[in-house]
Amino acid sequence: MSENRFLVAGWATIAAAGLMPTAFIVAGIEQAAFDLNVTKRTVGLLTSDFLLLVFGGVAIYVLVELKRMLYERYSYRGLDVIIALAIGWTVVNYGGSFLLQSFFTIADSTTSATAQAVTTVFWIISIGVFGIIDAILGLMLLIQGRRFGTPLLVFAALSLAMGLCGLTVILSVFSLLLFPVAYIALAVAFLRPEERLEFV
């Protein structure tokens, strides 16, 4: 008998895979609008900030479900601490960024050099920390590779690659390209039904 208690998590992971690149594409359009003098605002709340906040919420749910799946399907708790750190840093990163941009909006900082510098430093630190977390998560999954199926191993390898790119900060753009593929692989792992024996 096939049963899957992670269908919602699978679809949420697919949603997250689409939300992240969409948010950055929108952010790029917003920056282009500033460069073309369509708008004067470079800091403060923009559409991309709301998309990233939603993504952060979905990503936290995916991480919680990943922790549950690793335990229920594979009896593996080796990632409990790193997943908890990932959840915490997701809150700090996306929640903190939203609050920071909200403050700049209230303070009416539209093109302040200080506001732009603070935002840039915040994102550089966030990317670096996510790089460390992704690299450790991917490496630990690969070390225990015999426990897991192919989709999780693909996710692990891509997570490690994203982490290494994020650690350099300069190559973090490649993390953005790898992210949707990694999350689609994770979605497949969630959506695969768990095989259970049926007693007659």
Side-chain angles (χ1 to χ4, degrees), residues 124 127-128 131 134 158-179:
I124 289 174
I127 289 169
D134 286 340
L158 291 172
S159 181
L160 177 58
M162 287 191 302
L164 295 176
C165 289
L167 281 171
T168 67
V169 178
I170 296 173
L171 298 177
S172 60
V173 64
F174 293 106
S175 296
L176 295 178
L177 298 176
L178 292 173
F179 177 85

Side-chain angles (χ1 to χ4, degrees), residues 12-14 29 48 50 52 62 64 75 83 95 104 112 120 127 132 138 156 163 165 183 190-191:
T13 306
I14 292 172
I29 293 172
S48 56
F50 288 95
L52 287 171
V62 169
V64 169
S75 299
I83 289 176
F104 290 143
S112 166
T120 301
I127 289 169
I132 294 171
C165 289
Y183 260 50
F190 278 128
L191 293 172

Side-chain angles (χ1 to χ4, degrees), residues 8 11 18 24 27 41 44 49 76 95 99 105 129-130 134 145 160 168:
V8 176
W11 291 112
F24 278 91
R41 178 170 291 281
D49 296 300
Y76 181 59
L99 290 175
T105 299
V129 174
F130 271 126
D134 286 340
L160 177 58
T168 67

Side-chain angles (χ1 to χ4, degrees), residues 78-93:
L79 284 178
D80 283 9
V81 173
I82 195 67
I83 289 176
L85 289 173
I87 292 171
W89 193 248
T90 299
V91 172
V92 170
N93 180 51

Side-chain angles (χ1 to χ4, degrees), residues 55-130:
F55 165 77
V58 176
I60 288 171
Y61 172 73
V62 169
L63 288 167
V64 169
E65 290 298 284
L66 173 60
K67 177 181 175 181
R68 186 166 73 92
M69 182 177 72
L70 289 174
Y71 176 67
E72 293 186 7
R73 286 189 178 177
Y74 306 103
S75 299
Y76 181 59
R77 286 194 175 278
L79 284 178
D80 283 9
V81 173
I82 195 67
I83 289 176
L85 289 173
I87 292 171
W89 193 248
T90 299
V91 172
V92 170
N93 180 51
Y94 297 105
S97 177
F98 190 84
L99 290 175
L100 189 64
Q101 298 306 323
S102 297
F103 170 76
F104 290 143
T105 299
I106 294 170
D108 197 28
S109 299
T110 56
T111 57
S112 166
T114 301
Q116 292 182 58
V118 169
T119 301
T120 301
V121 170
F122 180 85
W123 274 101
I124 289 174
I125 293 173
S126 296
I127 289 169
V129 174
F130 271 126

